[in-house]
Amino acid sequence: MPKSRVEACDDAVIAIIMTIMILEIKVPETASFSGIIEQLPYFAAFVISAIMISTGWYNLMNIFKSIKVVSKPAFWSNILFLLCMSPAPMATAWVARFPFSRHTEYFYFFVFIVWYLSYYLLDYLLVKGNQREFSNDKIKQHQRINRFHLAIEVSCALISLVIIYFFPLWGIIFSILTALSWILYSCFK
Amino acid sequence: MPKSRVEACDDAVIAIIMTIMILEIKVPETASFSGIIEQLPYFAAFVISAIMISTGWYNLMNIFKSIKVVSKPAFWSNILFLLCMSPAPMATAWVARFPFSRHTEYFYFFVFIVWYLSYYLLDYLLVKGNQREFSNDKIKQHQRINRFHLAIEVSCALISLVIIYFFPLWGIIFSILTALSWILYSCFK
Amino acid sequence: MPKSRVEACDDAVIAIIMTIMILEIKVPETASFSGIIEQLPYFAAFVISAIMISTGWYNLMNIFKSIKVVSKPAFWSNILFLLCMSPAPMATAWVARFPFSRHTEYFYFFVFIVWYLSYYLLDYLLVKGNQREFSNDKIKQHQRINRFHLAIEVSCALISLVIIYFFPLWGIIFSILTALSWILYSCFK
Amino acid sequence: MPKSRVEACDDAVIAIIMTIMILEIKVPETASFSGIIEQLPYFAAFVISAIMISTGWYNLMNIFKSIKVVSKPAFWSNILFLLCMSPAPMATAWVARFPFSRHTEYFYFFVFIVWYLSYYLLDYLLVKGNQREFSNDKIKQHQRINRFHLAIEVSCALISLVIIYFFPLWGIIFSILTALSWILYSCFK
């Protein structure tokens, strides 16, 4: 399976998912600025989700750059990854409409955690299917870093589950912190 | 006709059709989980349709990988294939809204059967227009396997037509079984 | 200006315009087939518009195949071509809703005639900007054929303007005939 | 970071943003031309925004043509550029609905000025990350021209802020003039 077409499909789906999130910004019914101000919570949520998806896309591009083929399990794992990303626009719009609700924040949190997990699976299978491209040491190091990230992510997620119960807004704050940490990590790597 | 641009258009249309299906997931009006639970039947139908379209796309990618040119009949057959895929989002949303209705299940079933038939036609014309690329034996074998698949598909479809009359939900269960059989087939081939 | 990115944008816009037309197929509110039958006029109009846009795309692909660069005037003419295609989904939906109205048929007719004219302009400028690629004779022959097509198109259009006044449905019948003549022409060329 | 995938994503997002603007053209509820005439202000605003985005895309294509890699800061600046373009469809639809309102014109003006600034930042970082590709003189000249453009843009924008207060329609007239000046500049460069 050549990697170019899988890349093209990923790019298209990511571009479209970002666009669907933009579509949720409604044209105000009034001609005054108050119409825009009502849209601000959604716009903030949109920027946060867009940055998170961009970081995922950035990391994915880095992996694809260093591999040669996409194995069958990796192909299906890629479809799973795209499926897990599909509820993101809806979760973003919902959390923006009810930002102080426990339910919406848990759902938003849950959607992005599942998306992260599918990302780790895809990363693992892509590297595994291209073992000949990498030295043994490099693979071991890559998988070690990934396991380390996954451990941090899961620990923080478990703690966050409790925090959201008492302070719902934490769901979206946690997303901001995660995205920021990914950007910083990508810059200093 | 170079194959790269036909591939690019297929990728774009498939990505967009999947996205339209996602767009049907509505943002709940309430802040409680019940708003999400109401969306579950649609989400299940979306996942099934997405997997079916992915399997079609996967098989198509495999054919395109081994051909060199797209003949005129194959180009128009490709347009037909995309046209046959176009009612899929609407059929999915309709069957998800009324999953126990005979009419919606028949329609969903009909849309995907027509799509399969257009896929077989496209496969046939793509291979026929690239006869120089393949040995005679390989083409014969490919067409024999295809005729065999088509025969199974049509027989199962005819039996399903009767089953749906007495047990409408079979329409969507049949889709799950078809998609699963395609995935298994692609893994053991 | 390299041609690959202009091609990529054209492919994306054409794929998206076709998709917007699909989006207009609404999910029926009832669970019976009557909900589908109500959608049939729109579905017919969608298939006609999709075939027309496909023929335009097919011809455009053939031109792009034989050129090397996109000149500045051709770039802007390409943007004009895409802009002229943009009202097509709305015109299609409108004519499908009121197929026997003189106004909707005139509008549909007008949108596609303007689109054809922008196509001829784009064709002319693309060939003119790549004079070095072609022999003088070939260019002259190409432009002669194009002028001939344009003359036929314009004559038929002027006659159609009168026919639509007395028999509105002619607007969409004329589209079917035009698309068919293009497909036949592309097959016997 | 290879430039091809960043280009592909930019192309997709720009194509989709243009398409969202088309989607705002509503299908009239009546069968007479008056339904189309009501859409004219929006259609005019759509054409203006489309031309502005096309000019930005054209300039971006020219930069990408002459660079080799996309540095990390340039990648994130590209995401910022796309984010700044995302409210354009909504701003266009809003200004078309209330073209004589001070608020809508200020908002439209503000969205496009922020988009310009993000464009200059992206241009600056793309060239900076590819210093080896250019001679020192060429970079200096490019940055000088850019600073000059930026100075003109900012001065005109500040003056426009005052004009819009007394004559709101200036917001959209200013956009037309800007787009025209860019097209003329690109033709005589």
Side-chain angles (χ1 to χ4, degrees), chain C residues 117-174:
Chain C
L117 295 180
S118 75
Y119 169 78
Y120 284 115
L121 179 67
L122 175 56
D123 182 322
Y124 176 77
L125 290 173
L126 278 174
V127 171
K128 207 186 158 197
N130 288 274
Q131 287 179 327
R132 264 172 294 176
E133 308 303 320
F134 305 104
S135 67
N136 249 337
D137 281 3
K138 216 176 160 188
I139 289 185
K140 269 188 194 154
Q141 198 204 343
H142 182 88
Q143 304 288 34
R144 203 166 345 106
I145 292 176
N146 255 11
R147 266 200 303 275
F148 179 64
H149 279 193
L150 194 58
I152 293 182
E153 201 85 65
V154 169
S155 328
C156 292
L158 288 176
I159 299 168
S160 295
L161 275 180
V162 182
I163 303 181
I164 290 174
Y165 190 82
F166 297 103
F167 176 55
L169 209 61
W170 177 256
I172 210 156
I173 294 172
F174 180 67

Side-chain angles (χ1 to χ4, degrees), chain B residues 23-41:
Chain B
L23 267 174
E24 289 286 331
I25 311 174
K26 299 275 181 288
V27 181
E29 298 292 324
T30 63
S32 73
F33 283 137
S34 62
I36 294 296
I37 291 159
E38 278 169 25
Q39 304 277 336
L40 275 187

Side-chain angles (χ1 to χ4, degrees), chain C residues 50-98:
Chain C
I51 290 174
M52 286 177 69
I53 289 177
S54 300
T55 49
W57 182 55
Y58 179 86
N59 291 336
L60 203 58
M61 267 167 74
N62 273 325
I63 308 172
F64 269 107
K65 208 173 53 179
S66 52
I67 65 168
K68 280 222 173 129
V69 290
V70 176
S71 62
K72 263 166 206 172
F75 176 85
W76 290 109
S77 158
N78 189 55
I79 296 286
L80 182 73
F81 173 73
L82 296 178
L83 280 180
C84 289
M85 196 158 49
S86 63
M90 182 265 236
T92 304
W94 201 33
V95 85
R97 200 179 293 179
F98 307 104

Side-chain angles (χ1 to χ4, degrees), chain A residues 1-17 57 60-61 64-65 67 70 75 78-79 81-82 85, chain B residues 3-16 19 57 61, chain C residues 8 11-12, chain D residues 4-13 16:
Chain A
M1 181 75 43
K3 70 174 183 175
S4 62
R5 293 195 65 190
V6 178
E7 281 183 335
C9 183
D10 282 13
D11 291 0
V13 171
I14 287 173
I16 292 164
I17 284 192
W57 183 55
L60 204 58
M61 267 166 73
F64 269 105
K65 207 172 53 179
I67 65 169
V70 175
F75 175 85
N78 190 53
I79 296 287
F81 173 73
L82 295 178
M85 196 157 49
Chain B
K3 71 175 184 176
S4 62
R5 292 195 65 190
V6 178
E7 282 184 334
C9 182
D10 282 12
D11 292 0
V13 171
I14 287 173
I16 291 164
T19 316
W57 182 56
M61 268 166 73
Chain C
D11 292 0
Chain D
S4 62
R5 292 195 65 191
V6 177
E7 282 183 333
C9 183
D10 282 12
D11 291 359
V13 171
I16 292 164

Side-chain angles (χ1 to χ4, degrees), chain A residues 11 19 30 33 58 61 186, chain D residues 1 5 16 20 72 94 103:
Chain A
D11 291 0
T19 316
T30 62
F33 283 137
Y58 179 86
M61 267 166 73
S186 86
Chain D
M1 181 74 46
R5 292 195 65 191
I16 292 164
I20 294 176
K72 263 167 205 171
W94 202 33
H103 289 208

Side-chain angles (χ1 to χ4, degrees), chain B residues 134-188:
Chain B
F134 305 104
S135 66
N136 249 336
D137 282 4
K138 217 177 159 189
I139 289 185
K140 270 187 193 155
Q141 198 204 343
H142 181 87
Q143 305 288 34
R144 202 165 348 104
I145 293 177
N146 256 11
R147 267 200 302 276
F148 179 64
H149 279 193
L150 193 59
I152 294 182
E153 201 85 62
V154 169
S155 329
C156 291
L158 288 176
I159 299 167
S160 295
L161 276 180
V162 182
I163 304 181
I164 290 174
Y165 189 83
F166 297 104
F167 175 55
L169 210 59
W170 178 256
I172 210 156
I173 294 171
F174 179 66
S175 297
I176 303 175
L177 296 178
T178 314
L180 280 180
S181 71
W182 278 31
I183 295 179
L184 286 176
Y185 175 75
S186 85
C187 287
F188 288 113

Side-chain angles (χ1 to χ4, degrees), chain D residues 148-161:
Chain D
F148 179 65
H149 279 193
L150 193 58
I152 293 181
E153 200 85 66
V154 169
S155 325
C156 291
L158 288 176
I159 299 168
S160 295
L161 275 180

Side-chain angles (χ1 to χ4, degrees), chain D residues 47-176:
Chain D
V47 169
I48 294 164
S49 295
I51 291 174
M52 286 177 69
I53 288 177
S54 300
T55 49
W57 183 56
Y58 179 86
N59 291 336
L60 204 58
M61 266 166 74
N62 273 324
I63 307 173
F64 268 106
K65 207 172 54 178
S66 51
I67 65 168
K68 281 222 174 128
V69 290
V70 176
S71 63
K72 263 167 205 171
F75 175 85
W76 290 109
S77 157
N78 190 54
I79 296 286
L80 181 73
F81 173 73
L82 296 178
L83 280 181
C84 289
M85 197 157 49
S86 64
M90 182 265 235
T92 303
W94 202 33
V95 85
R97 199 178 292 180
F98 307 103
F100 303 108
S101 153
R102 214 174 275 161
H103 289 208
T104 59
E105 294 280 354
Y106 268 130
F107 184 71
Y108 183 80
F109 183 79
F110 174 75
V111 163
F112 276 95
I113 290 297
V114 168
W115 181 63
Y116 280 144
L117 294 180
S118 76
Y119 169 77
Y120 284 116
L121 180 66
L122 175 56
D123 182 321
Y124 176 79
L125 290 172
L126 279 174
V127 171
K128 208 186 157 197
N130 288 274
Q131 287 180 326
R132 265 172 291 175
E133 309 303 319
F134 305 103
S135 66
N136 249 337
D137 281 3
K138 216 177 158 189
I139 290 185
K140 268 188 194 155
Q141 199 205 342
H142 181 87
Q143 305 288 32
R144 208 172 335 111
I145 292 176
N146 257 10
R147 265 199 305 273
F148 179 65
H149 279 193
L150 193 58
I152 293 181
E153 200 85 66
V154 169
S155 325
C156 291
L158 288 176
I159 299 168
S160 295
L161 275 180
V162 182
I163 303 181
I164 290 174
Y165 189 82
F166 297 104
F167 176 55
L169 208 60
W170 178 255
I172 210 156
I173 294 172
F174 180 66
S175 297
I176 304 175

